[in-house]
Amino acid sequence: MRTLCASTLIGEFFIVGFAGLVAMKNPDLTQAQVWTVCGVTMLLSVLLCGMLSRPGAVQLGWALQIGLIASGFVVPTMFFLGAVFAGLWWCSVHYGRRIDAIKASWAAAQAEAAAPDAA
C-alpha cells in the first residue's frame, strides 16, 4: 500500500506545482494565494510521503485530500484537482491493501513450502 500511496502523493506534488504555475496566469489570483495553496499542499504531500509507515497516515492522507478540495474556495481549479486526487488516494489505499494481502499470502505459502517436514 505504501508504494501506491507514495506514488499518489509524489504525483500530487508535481501536478499541484505545475498547476500553481498555470494559476499564476489568472488575473483574479495573487501570487500569495496561489503559492499559499500550492506550497502548503506540496509540502504536506512530501511530509506525508515520509510518514506512510506510521499509524494514522491513511487518515492524514484523507485530511490532505479534503483540504485539497476545500482549497478550491481560494483557487477554483483545485476543486477538480482535489476530487481527482481523492479518487486516486482511494484507489491507492483500496488496491494497495489488496496487493499487501496477496503478497502476504504468497510469502506464507513460500515459507510453508520451504519449511522442512516435521515428521
Side-chain angles (χ1 to χ4, degrees):
M1 179 178 75
R2 290 188 327 205
T3 303
L4 289 175
C5 290
S7 298
T8 300
L9 291 169
I10 294 301
E12 284 183 30
F13 174 85
F14 284 109
I15 291 173
V16 168
F18 291 134
L21 293 173
V22 172
M24 288 183 45
K25 302 285 186 188
N26 187 338
D28 297 332
L29 300 172
T30 66
Q31 273 189 329
Q33 289 173 313
V34 171
W35 289 115
T36 298
V37 169
C38 294
V40 169
T41 300
M42 291 169 69
L43 177 67
L44 291 176
S45 295
V46 170
L47 290 175
L48 186 57
C49 192
M51 296 176 47
L52 284 173
S53 61
R54 302 207 182 252
V58 173
Q59 291 79 7
L60 286 174
W62 279 117
L64 175 63
Q65 306 315 315
I66 291 167
L68 271 171
I69 294 169
S71 68
F73 290 110
V74 179
V75 179
T77 308
M78 295 304 287
F79 283 123
F80 173 73
L81 280 178
V84 168
F85 280 124
L88 284 173
W89 184 254
W90 178 85
C91 288
S92 296
V93 171
H94 178 73
Y95 291 112
R97 286 183 177 155
R98 289 175 115 186
I99 291 169
D100 288 347
I102 291 168
K103 287 167 73 174
S105 68
W106 283 353
Q110 288 178 344
E112 187 177 301
D117 291 330

